[in-house]
Amino acid sequence: MSTNTKIAVVTGGSRGLGKNMALALAKKGIDVVLTYNSRKEDADAVVAEIEQLGRKAAALQLDAGAVASFETFAGQLTATLTTTFGTDHFDFLINNAGTAGNSPIGQTKEAEFDQLVNIHFKGVLFLTEQLLPIQNDGGRIINISSGLARFTSPGRAVYGSLKGAIETLSIYMAKELGTRGIAVNVVAPGAIETDFGGGVVRDNPDVNKHIAAITALGRVGLPEDIGGVVAFLCTDEARWINAQRIEVSGGMNL
C-alpha cells in the first residue's frame, strides 16, 4: 500500500510546540499522526483543527519514556495508518515529546534523572528503532533539542546534557540511515512561551523580560516560531540538509 501524500508522526503533538509543528506540517500539505500522553481531549482538538485545514490526522496515546510499550504502539500506528490513511508506512518522524527538568547539581534525585533519560534519550532512540521498519526510505527524522545544549541555565544540567546527547545521536542516525535516504536533523528551540515547565517563560513577567533582554531579536520565542522550521525540514526544498543542528532561539546568549 502506498500514497502520494506524505505522513508525519509527531510525538507530544497535543499542545505547545508539538501542536504548532503538527499544524505547520498540515499547512504544508502533510498528513499527521500525533501522540499525547494523557490529554486526549487536547489531542482530539488538534486532529479536528488539522482536518479543518483539509488534511487527514489521527491521535494515539504514547508515554514517550515507556520503552516497553513501543512495540504495541508501533502496531497501533500501523493499524491507524492503514485505516485512516490507506497506507502502512509513514515518512517523517518528529521526536518532540518531552518534560522539563529542573534540579541543581547536588539536589538531583535518581528517580528524576531516570525519568528524564527515559523520555529525552532512551525513548527517542528506541522509538526510532521501533518505527524504522514502517518509515519510508527518503523520509526525515527531526529530533528536538534545546538551546540549553549550547548555553547554561542553573538547574537544567541533566536536561541540557540529554539534549546534547540527542544532538550527537542525531549525527550517528544521519550517517547510518543515509543508505536509506533518510535525512536526520536537530531543531533546538530557545525559551518559548508555552505551558512547558509550568509555563514559567510565558507567565512570569520577570523571566520573560530577562529572556527578551538576552535575546538578540529582543523578545521571547513563540510556538509559531518553531513549527514552520520543522515543517520546512520535511519539504523537498530541505532535501540536502542533513546532520545539522538548527537553533531557533532568536539569538539567545550570543
Side-chain angles (χ1 to χ4, degrees), residues 93 95 128 132 135 139-143 173 177 182-185:
L93 174 60
N95 285 307
T128 302
L132 277 171
Q135 181 170 12
R140 314 279 166 80
I141 296 172
I142 299 165
N143 294 323
M173 284 183 175
L177 299 179
I182 296 174
V184 184
N185 291 292

Side-chain angles (χ1 to χ4, degrees), residues 152-177:
T152 60
S153 177
R156 306 290 186 176
V158 175
Y159 178 87
S161 296
L162 291 169
K163 292 305 191 182
I166 282 297
E167 293 182 6
T168 300
L169 177 65
S170 299
I171 298 171
Y172 278 88
M173 284 183 175
K175 179 67 173 178
E176 296 187 19
L177 299 179

Side-chain angles (χ1 to χ4, degrees), residues 8 35-36 62 70 75 78 92 97 115 123 135 154 173 177 205 211 228 242:
T35 77
Y36 64 94
L62 174 70
F70 290 173
T78 302
F92 312 128
Q115 181 185 42
Q135 181 170 12
M173 284 183 175
L177 299 179
I211 291 168
N242 195 21

Side-chain angles (χ1 to χ4, degrees), residues 5 11 17 19 24 27 39 41 46-47 52 74 87 92 103 116 122 126 142 147-148 159 176 187 194 219 223 235:
T5 302
T11 66
L17 295 186
K19 174 183 176 180
K27 289 172 184 175
R39 295 160 67 164
E41 64 281 0
V46 179
V47 167
Q52 288 171 1
T87 182
F92 312 128
S103 58
L116 287 169
K122 186 177 179 181
F126 287 105
I142 299 165
L148 292 166
Y159 178 87
E176 296 187 19
V187 170
T194 69
R219 66 169 174 84
T235 65

Side-chain angles (χ1 to χ4, degrees), residues 23 26 125 190 194 208 231:
L23 293 172
L125 172 62
T194 69
N208 196 292

